[in-house]
Amino acid sequence: MKLGGRSVWQVLGLYLAGGWVLLQVVDVLVDNVGLPPRVFTLALALLAVGFPIALITAVVQGAVRDSGGSDEAAGRVARGSSGTARSLFTWRNLGLGALLASALWGVVAIGWMIRSGGAAERLEERTRLVDELETLAELRLWDSAWAMARGAGPEFWADSTQAEVVRSISRVTPVRTDPPGATVFVNTYAADATWDLVGTTPMDSARLPRGVTRLRLELEGYAPLEFGTLWWLPSDSTYRLVPTDADSADMVWVPGGEHVIGSPGLEHVEPATISGFWIDRLEVTNREFKRFIEAGGYDEPTYWTEPFSRDGRPVSFEEAMALFTDRTGRTGPATWEAGDYPDGEDDYPVTGLSWYEANAYAHWAGKRLPTVYHWNRAAGTYLSSHVVPHSNFSGDGPSLVGEYDGVGPYGTLDMGGNAREWCWNEGSGGRFILGGGWNDAPYMFNDGYEQRAWDRSVTNGLRLAAYDEEDLLAASMPIERPHRDFLAEEPVSDETYQVFLGMYAYDAAPLNAVVEARDTTPDDWTRELISYDAAYGEERGLAHLFVPKNAKPPFQAVVYFPGSNAIFEDELTRWTGEFLVKDGRAVIVPVYKGVYERRDDLDTDMPNESVAYRDRVIQWYRDMGRAIDYLEAREDIDADRLAYFGVSWGGRMGVLMTAVEPRFDAAVFYVAGLKFQRALPEADPFNHVTRLEIPVLMLNGRYDMFFPLDTSQKPMYQLLGTPEEHKRHVVAEGGHDVPRSLLIRETLDWLDTYLGPVER
């Protein structure tokens, strides 16, 4: 069939050729200009619809031309009308009209597509954002969630449809200052992001991130105040700002109220109600303490208000002063020489002080040593998972006061690490000294700790407070610790102990293990995070496995049980067992229920006589057992050469763990002993210690107040069922630690003896 001189196939070919060119142009625009992909689909649909229209138009035009040659007369009569028709219905005009119509429809369609496509993409992007925020909220990655939401712009926060996800990542709280008018900024606790402006006080509904954050208050003429805050704590107290020229400019205000001490080992202590008080923002420095000496502080008895007593006998003022000398025999702290501190250490914390010296300085300065209640309230040990990584527990020596930015809930610095800080209260055999020092384990920030009042260790320092006499009476009472005579007690019978073992047993089941993450960047090891089915409930257990790079597989293995700091930390960061991996042994750290990534409502490692505590101990054992099951399933691990390494909490729990678990070949208990608090018999390490028969190394400090030498360490060592020739107790001068070189040497020698040397 002919259509105005052209066949159907010619029309079809021309149309398809033109359509192909059009589609190529659209495809290029989609790839390079950013047009939505659906524009290509629309163009294809328009071409399909346009083909029959073009075909019908061509047929009509051909019919008109054919009729013109057979009826010339009629053509003349109707010349005007037919001529007009011919002049309109030409291929050129039809093509031009079709082109213009297509262009018009294309512009309209593409505009509509772009508009609707942009809206769809925005909706898709918003949906993706919400999904990611919900995931971050579930993982409690509050800093990341806050940064992502802030990056979405103010319209996201104003969108009422996002209210639920906004609530999941943020909180609304009042922020008030005295005086008002302070500008409020918020940042991550690490202050590693930009400071976001929150507003100006007073604010009844300031929106802040969930989790632990850092706030900064600024007001002209007043010292800026930075402090850490938790989302779930009420933040409705008024923050006092201090004029820059005030005498108390270096102190911060802590509001009063009923306070429960949050230190492990002191849970039994009754709460006390104290008034608001001032406390030094920083520790007392060498420069400040030297002023006390230059003012005749060691010569004036009126500053030394408490009677001296040593080993149960009175000590005269002259005798005491003769003991308070530096390394060269001159008056002053034990860390000084020739009556002075080292050059360049003016603003380092003064250390090497006894409790008596610290208390005398406080009286000279017109302040007081904080009671345990005042210290604990100001420190905010509940922030330890953030304070500790930002505090000086380096082991390398003291630092400038305030150099580390581990800030407390009211603006104090260095309450964790750097120098231990003497407190007023007496304990069972000394005075409390809290916070830990630069050479202490990180969990010392949380724990209640005491030393002999005469102790002048290199980390003993102080921080002062100002509070009234009524508070001193309310909070200065002696704090006794529980006591047991372990050598006089009788463990349960063998028959009863067999019943206990049955309580710890669990059914063998597939692990369904998954390597969730692997980090090969460290020089000395590859770190893996493994998940597997737990031995209770429907839970998934976790473990961190450190595989050495400097030894040959199959590797000897060590199971690690941490100190109580793990209860307050969200992840495993700094730990004591790194030297084990560097020496060539694999180390697995089970994530025991309630610690690190599996934190829950557990807030203390202290035993008690509840069924809930008993059940928790059994879960800890089963977590460890499943970790060993996993080691046995790996070809690169020699699970027949297996040791246990426990630190403090992990050391005292190690007695129970290694007695119940038969797969261990040796154990190391670091700064551990028997605890005076009782648990139900099946969860009390005392009933397990005599059943433990594998080689055991104990490493302790002579003056450890968590595990006293004569009443905790020695009874544990004597009661061990291990043959005498296969157990060793190393006692170093110090407190709740031993020199690191001694720890490493003794531990590696012990493992080499009972597991065999590492193959390289």
Side-chain angles (χ1 to χ4, degrees), residues 85-397:
R86 289 191 184 96
S87 63
L88 291 175
F89 288 94
T90 64
W91 279 100
R92 179 176 179 278
N93 290 346
L94 287 173
L96 182 60
L99 180 61
L100 292 174
S102 298
L104 178 61
W105 280 104
V107 168
V108 173
I110 291 173
W112 176 82
M113 289 292 292
I114 291 175
R115 184 177 183 278
S116 61
E121 287 190 350
R122 286 193 297 274
L123 178 60
E124 183 179 348
E125 182 179 349
R126 181 63 55 85
T127 302
R128 184 169 58 252
L129 172 65
V130 170
D131 290 343
E132 292 179 0
L133 289 174
E134 289 176 344
T135 299
L136 292 172
E138 289 176 2
L139 297 173
R140 297 166 62 186
L141 299 175
W142 309 117
D143 290 347
S144 299
W146 176 263
M148 181 178 293
R150 295 289 287 185
E155 63 277 1
F156 172 79
W157 297 92
D159 188 349
S160 60
T161 63
Q162 310 304 326
E164 184 174 350
V165 71
V166 166
R167 283 194 299 269
S168 73
I169 65 170
S170 65
R171 51 161 169 156
V172 173
T173 182
V175 179
R176 302 184 181 92
T177 60
D178 179 16
T183 306
V184 183
F185 300 91
V186 65
N187 203 336
T188 64
Y189 183 85
D192 55 5
T194 58
W195 286 93
D196 290 332
L197 175 64
V198 179
T200 302
T201 62
M203 288 183 289
D204 293 327
S205 56
R207 185 166 293 282
L208 301 173
R210 284 182 180 259
V212 180
T213 57
R214 184 183 295 253
L215 293 185
R216 181 177 176 86
L217 308 177
E218 294 182 357
L219 182 61
E220 186 175 357
Y222 292 81
L225 177 64
E226 283 189 22
F227 55 92
T229 179
L230 271 174
W231 71 269
W232 48 265
L233 287 177
S235 300
D236 55 359
S237 58
T238 298
Y239 298 95
R240 289 195 186 182
L241 302 179
V242 184
T244 53
D245 57 354
D247 293 338
S248 57
D250 291 330
M251 304 186 81
V252 295
W253 175 257
V254 181
E258 184 181 72
H259 185 71
V260 178
I261 297 176
S263 295
L266 301 180
E267 296 88 347
H268 64 287
V269 178
E270 292 295 322
T273 300
I274 56 178
S275 304
F277 62 96
W278 295 94
I279 191 167
D280 288 348
R281 189 172 69 90
L282 302 171
E283 294 166 332
V284 174
T285 65
N286 285 316
R287 185 202 309 272
E288 292 167 330
F289 197 84
K290 188 174 182 179
R291 297 194 191 109
F292 168 65
I293 297 177
E294 292 173 341
Y298 280 83
D299 301 319
E300 179 52 64
T302 57
Y303 299 135
W304 306 77
T305 59
E306 296 303 305
F308 299 103
S309 175
R310 190 171 191 178
D311 298 328
R313 72 172 185 86
V315 176
S316 69
F317 177 78
E318 291 73 20
E319 287 179 296
M321 294 306 106
L323 297 173
F324 299 148
T325 58
D326 65 18
R327 292 168 179 166
T328 60
R330 300 297 181 93
T331 297
T335 54
W336 290 16
E337 292 181 357
D340 204 354
Y341 51 84
D343 290 342
E345 295 190 4
D346 306 63
D347 294 320
Y348 281 62
V350 60
T351 55
L353 297 177
S354 68
W355 180 87
Y356 291 106
E357 292 166 282
N359 191 51
Y361 175 84
H363 279 275
W364 172 80
K367 302 178 184 178
R368 306 179 192 271
L369 293 179
T371 70
V372 170
Y373 290 91
H374 291 90
W375 191 96
N376 189 261
R377 190 171 183 85
T381 53
Y382 49 81
L383 293 176
S384 63
S385 63
H386 287 69
V387 171
V388 168
H390 292 268
S391 299
N392 182 14
F393 289 101
S394 65
D396 298 327

Side-chain angles (χ1 to χ4, degrees), residues 89 175 191 605 655 751:
F89 288 94
V175 179
D605 65 325
V655 170
L751 297 182

Side-chain angles (χ1 to χ4, degrees), residues 398-454:
S399 61
L400 288 165
V401 295
E403 178 178 353
Y404 286 74
D405 64 349
V407 67
Y410 303 104
T412 55
L413 293 168
D414 292 326
M415 295 196 83
N418 214 23
R420 300 172 187 164
E421 300 175 10
W422 282 111
C423 294
W424 172 264
N425 303 70
E426 289 185 86
S428 301
R431 296 277 182 167
F432 279 90
I433 186 167
L434 302 179
W438 57 266
N439 61 351
D440 286 319
Y443 52 76
M444 292 285 286
F445 174 60
N446 294 86
D447 287 337
Y449 184 68
E450 55 180 288
Q451 290 181 167
R452 296 174 303 165
W454 295 91

